[in-house]
């Protein structure tokens, strides 16, 4: 069985749309839906069963637990796999237990391919870090790790979880299944978002970065979110988050990852593997960088290790210079048909199985042209 876990807070229309979408999938698939109402002002409403017969459980919390509301759903879930959604995200492809039956026991969690309205992909994530509005994780592993840390609220909680999954000896891979994230504007404040991103990313470095890189990682992340705050006119959020981090950093227990695990977590190992595979296919000594983005400096480190020169123009190989899987796939797709060879650093593939495509509603027709095949 697959258990869909959906926290919600004051988004009745978004939740209804997500449930309507889930109800269009085949009734033969063994699934359940668990909704956790994060203390909505007007209690969330949901049917006992969807139109396809899937059972729906609705839980109501007395206080807003943020993303950690999913922990309550996971404890009562019956599925071997938990499919984490937001109330404004829903799958575009069908999924069955058969699709997950050949997943290696060493894989603890799975990426999906998350799209936004308009056809571009969701930002965030790393080759070994999923995006929370469309990830799958083994129920027993999730519960054994105590799920999401409630102190994060929203944002970066999936990075914290993935660090612990890696530390437990598991791998995170990808599944060829598409999810649409509608990104509701409800309950989204740029100032609050920047405060959470600043504080929570600093917590992440304090907890998991090995001693030899902790200061550098923290400085890089703080500089990055200050720049974002300036661009988004949300500097007050950055200042608030920095203050909160400084007031709480000594409460964040140091559990640094080993060098091997840190290299996997930050994406360095995936960079090395991608470059090694590209070199084995056709040797190169120079590369140019395409569409620089999040963690481009990690890719640069991997290139420096190989002694490969980065040049601004024509090169033996072009490399997409972001480690976020969504933007990396978008850049790789845009480069198709161009004469110069291009590679991107992407998550490991979990299986060669091809999922059945679901019939898309008319309003999602834009996905046909945007989605790579």
């Amino acid at each position: 069985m697959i258990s869909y876990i959906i926290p919600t807070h004051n988004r009745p229309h978004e939740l209804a749309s997500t449930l309507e979408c889930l109800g269009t999938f085949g009734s033969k698939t063994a699934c359940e839906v668990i909704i956790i109402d994060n203390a909505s002002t007007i209690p969330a409403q949901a049917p006992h069963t969807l139109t396809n017969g899937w059972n729906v459980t609705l839980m109501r919390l007395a206080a807003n637990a943020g993303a950690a509301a999913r922990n309550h759903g996971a404890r009562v879930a019956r599925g071997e796999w938990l499919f984490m959604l937001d109330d404004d995200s829903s799958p575009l492809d069908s999924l069955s237990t058969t699709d997950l039956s050949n997943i290696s026991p060493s894989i603890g969690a799975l990426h999906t391919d998350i799209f936004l309205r308009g056809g571009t992909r969701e930002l965030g994530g790393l080759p070994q870090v999923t995006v929370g509005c469309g990830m799958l994780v083994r129920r027993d592993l999730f519960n054994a790790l105590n799920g999401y840390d409630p102190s994060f609220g929203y944002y970066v909680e999936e990075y914290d979880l993935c660090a612990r999954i890696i530390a437990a000896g598991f791998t995170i891979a990808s599944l060829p299944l598409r999810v649409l994230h509608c990104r509701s504007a409800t309950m989204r404040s740029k100032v609050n978002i920047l405060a959470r991103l600043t504080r929570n990313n600093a917590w992440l470095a304090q907890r998991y970065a090995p001693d030899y890189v902790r200061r550098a990682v923290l400085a890089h992340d703080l500089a990055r979110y200050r720049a974002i705050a300036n661009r988004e006119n949300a500097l007050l959020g950055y200042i608030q988050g920095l203050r909160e981090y400084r007031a709480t950093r000594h409460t964040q227990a140091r559990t640094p990852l080993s060098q091997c695990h840190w290299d996997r977590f930050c994406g360095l190992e995936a960079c090395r593997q991608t470059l090694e595979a590209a070199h084995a296919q056709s040797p190169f000594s120079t590369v140019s960088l395409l569409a620089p983005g999040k963690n481009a400096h990690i890719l640069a480190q991997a290139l420096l290790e190989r002694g490969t020169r980065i040049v601004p123009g024509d090169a033996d190989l072009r490399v997409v210079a972001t480690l976020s899987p969504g933007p990396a796939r978008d850049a790789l797709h845009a480069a198709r048909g161009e004469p110069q060879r291009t590679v991107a650093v992407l998550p490991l593939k979990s299986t060669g199985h091809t999922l059945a495509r679901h019939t898309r509603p008319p309003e999602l027709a834009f996905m046909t042209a945007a989605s790579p095949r």
Side-chain angles (χ1 to χ4, degrees), residues 81 101-108 138 141 169-171:
W81 286 91
S101 60
N102 294 324
I103 302 296
S104 168
S106 66
I107 295 174
R138 293 187 187 275
L141 174 61
F170 289 86
T171 296

Side-chain angles (χ1 to χ4, degrees), residues 86-101:
D86 285 353
D87 54 14
D88 59 356
S89 67
S90 53
L92 290 170
D93 302 314
S94 59
L95 179 67
S96 72
T97 52
T98 302
D99 298 319
L100 300 171
S101 60

Side-chain angles (χ1 to χ4, degrees), residues 25-89:
F25 289 100
S27 58
K28 293 182 180 180
T29 305
C31 296
E32 64 176 352
V33 178
I34 302 174
I35 302 164
I36 308 94
D37 184 356
N38 257 330
S40 295
T41 305
I42 299 175
Q45 301 293 320
H48 294 296
T49 58
L50 300 184
T51 54
N52 56 8
W54 292 0
N55 289 330
V56 178
T57 299
L58 176 59
M59 308 173 69
R60 292 192 173 95
L61 304 185
N64 191 338
R70 293 188 175 100
N71 300 352
H72 296 269
R75 285 193 283 269
V76 301
R78 295 177 293 158
E80 178 185 356
W81 286 91
L82 308 177
F83 199 149
M84 302 296 187
L85 295 174
D86 285 353
D87 54 14
D88 59 356
S89 67

Side-chain angles (χ1 to χ4, degrees), residues 227-307:
I228 293 174
N230 283 329
R231 187 173 67 242
E232 297 293 331
N233 294 316
L235 189 58
L236 288 178
Y238 170 81
I239 294 171
Q240 176 185 334
L242 183 58
R243 286 174 176 170
E244 290 180 6
Y245 164 66
R246 287 173 174 169
T248 59
R249 60 185 169 188
H250 298 300
T251 69
Q252 304 302 305
R254 286 280 293 153
T255 54
L257 297 174
S258 67
Q259 181 173 350
C260 175
H261 285 162
W262 177 256
D263 288 352
R264 285 174 50 198
F265 176 74
C266 74
L268 180 58
E269 183 59 29
C271 290
R272 291 167 176 158
Q273 292 175 356
T274 298
L275 295 173
E276 183 64 31
H279 194 271
Q281 181 180 356
S282 179
F284 58 88
S285 59
T286 61
V287 304
S288 60
L289 301 182
L290 175 67
K294 188 175 181 180
N295 287 309
H297 66 291
I298 300 293
L299 174 61
Q301 179 181 342
L303 290 166
L304 181 64
E305 290 177 354
R306 295 182 60 88

Side-chain angles (χ1 to χ4, degrees), residues 119-349:
T120 59
R121 288 179 167 90
E122 181 65 86
L123 304 174
L126 290 167
Q128 291 273 307
V129 175
T130 61
V131 176
C133 65
M135 68 171 288
L136 288 97
V137 59
R138 293 187 187 275
R139 182 199 62 195
D140 290 347
L141 174 61
F142 183 85
N143 287 332
L145 295 175
N146 296 317
Y148 291 113
D149 184 337
S151 66
F152 279 78
Y154 285 104
Y155 303 110
V156 194
E157 75 281 347
E158 63 265 67
Y159 284 70
D160 178 80
L161 174 63
C162 289
R164 288 181 279 128
I165 289 174
I166 291 170
F170 289 86
T171 296
I172 297 166
S174 68
L175 189 71
L177 182 144
R178 299 167 304 158
V179 169
L180 176 65
H181 186 199
C182 293
R183 270 202 181 180
S184 170
T186 306
M187 308 302 292
R188 293 185 189 272
S189 159
K190 288 182 180 180
V191 170
N192 291 340
I193 290 172
L194 261 297
R196 291 281 180 87
L197 287 171
T198 300
R199 183 198 66 183
N200 292 355
N201 275 284
W203 277 356
L204 198 73
Q206 178 65 19
R207 291 181 180 192
Y208 302 114
D211 290 341
Y212 68 95
V213 292
R214 184 180 66 83
R215 290 182 183 275
V217 170
L218 181 60
H220 176 272
D221 287 349
L222 291 179
R224 179 173 186 269
Y225 286 104
R226 184 183 181 95
I228 293 174
N230 283 329
R231 187 173 67 242
E232 297 293 331
N233 294 316
L235 189 58
L236 288 178
Y238 170 81
I239 294 171
Q240 176 185 334
L242 183 58
R243 286 174 176 170
E244 290 180 6
Y245 164 66
R246 287 173 174 169
T248 59
R249 60 185 169 188
H250 298 300
T251 69
Q252 304 302 305
R254 286 280 293 153
T255 54
L257 297 174
S258 67
Q259 181 173 350
C260 175
H261 285 162
W262 177 256
D263 288 352
R264 285 174 50 198
F265 176 74
C266 74
L268 180 58
E269 183 59 29
C271 290
R272 291 167 176 158
Q273 292 175 356
T274 298
L275 295 173
E276 183 64 31
H279 194 271
Q281 181 180 356
S282 179
F284 58 88
S285 59
T286 61
V287 304
S288 60
L289 301 182
L290 175 67
K294 188 175 181 180
N295 287 309
H297 66 291
I298 300 293
L299 174 61
Q301 179 181 342
L303 290 166
L304 181 64
E305 290 177 354
R306 295 182 60 88
T308 303
R309 288 192 301 118
I310 301 174
V311 297
D314 292 337
D316 300 328
L317 178 72
R318 286 195 307 177
V319 184
V320 175
T322 176
L323 302 191
S324 294
R329 287 190 174 102
D330 282 340
L332 188 63
H333 182 61
R336 288 180 178 177
E338 297 186 9
Q340 196 168 3
R341 190 162 64 107
T342 305
V343 299
V345 181
L346 296 173
L348 296 171
K349 293 182 179 179

